[in-house]
Amino acid sequence: MQKGINILNNIISLGLIALTFLVPLFFLPLTSDFYEFNKNILLFVVSCLLLVAWVGKMILSKRVSFRITRFDLPVLLLAISYSLSTIIVAPNKIENLLASGGTGTILALTLLYFIATNNLATATVKHLTNALVFSGVVLALIAIFQFIGLGASLSPVAWMKPKFFSPAGNLLTLATFLTVVFSLSASQIY
């Protein structure tokens, strides 16, 4: 039984680390919106899988444990307000659930918050930070290659050839993400 609990703990930790690394880089050219929609779907799917692992861990341990922090109430109130807004006001509830930055995104992030606060050890937080920084480095290298023209000569498809191509989506998203990653890196170095 303890072995199963340890396996589920590892799945939760590795899932959170993989999600942290993949979300900035993930895109699929299978939908009309290559970037945001697919990043949201990845977020939803991994959040649900991690929830199943967390519930499985509680079932195996025969104990329901929930760590309470001072941020729980504001996060929960934000999720409730988004949900009520969707139920009461939104004319298209499904679109609001699937839209980037919409209710579905907030609910998935709320779920990830509670999974992380209840399952992560302090050592894993460092791995999460490293995954975020590493994905920022990959995005920065792709942006540099695109800007100097290597991306246009190496890319196999036409939509990857423009200088402004980035797996992050658009240049504003890339700049915002890289600013956060740079600040995080600078604080770790300092």
Side-chain angles (χ1 to χ4, degrees), residues 52-156:
V52 169
W54 185 27
V55 169
K57 177 182 149 185
M58 287 190 278
I59 290 171
L60 282 179
S61 66
K62 297 178 183 169
R63 188 181 68 185
V64 176
S65 61
F66 195 81
R67 192 176 303 156
I68 297 174
T69 68
R70 61 182 160 185
F71 299 113
D72 291 351
L73 185 61
V75 168
L76 201 54
L77 287 175
L78 180 68
I80 290 170
S81 67
Y82 264 80
S83 300
L84 287 175
S85 173
T86 298
I87 292 168
I88 297 169
V89 179
N92 189 344
K93 292 164 183 29
I94 300 299
E95 181 182 351
N96 200 17
L97 283 173
L98 296 177
S100 177
T103 303
T105 304
I106 297 298
L107 292 176
L109 290 172
T110 301
L111 181 59
L112 280 177
Y113 166 78
F114 285 112
I115 290 170
T117 56
N118 286 286
N119 293 290
L120 286 185
T122 307
T124 309
V125 174
K126 185 172 183 173
H127 295 301
L128 280 172
T129 306
N130 291 339
L132 193 65
V133 169
F134 189 62
S135 66
V137 168
V138 171
L139 280 175
L141 288 174
I142 290 171
I144 291 169
F145 288 153
Q146 288 298 116
F147 184 73
I148 63 175
L150 285 176
S153 61
L154 296 176
S155 65

Side-chain angles (χ1 to χ4, degrees), residues 33-53:
D33 178 12
F34 291 5
Y35 307 103
E36 293 177 4
F37 177 76
N38 295 316
K39 289 177 193 297
N40 265 350
I41 297 301
L42 176 69
L43 179 68
F44 299 154
V45 168
V46 173
S47 297
C48 290
L49 291 175
L50 291 176
L51 177 64
V52 169

Side-chain angles (χ1 to χ4, degrees), residues 9-21 46 50 112 128:
N9 272 334
N10 288 337
I11 288 172
I12 292 169
S13 297
L14 292 175
L16 286 169
I17 292 167
L19 183 66
T20 302
F21 175 74
V46 173
L50 291 176
L112 280 177
L128 280 172

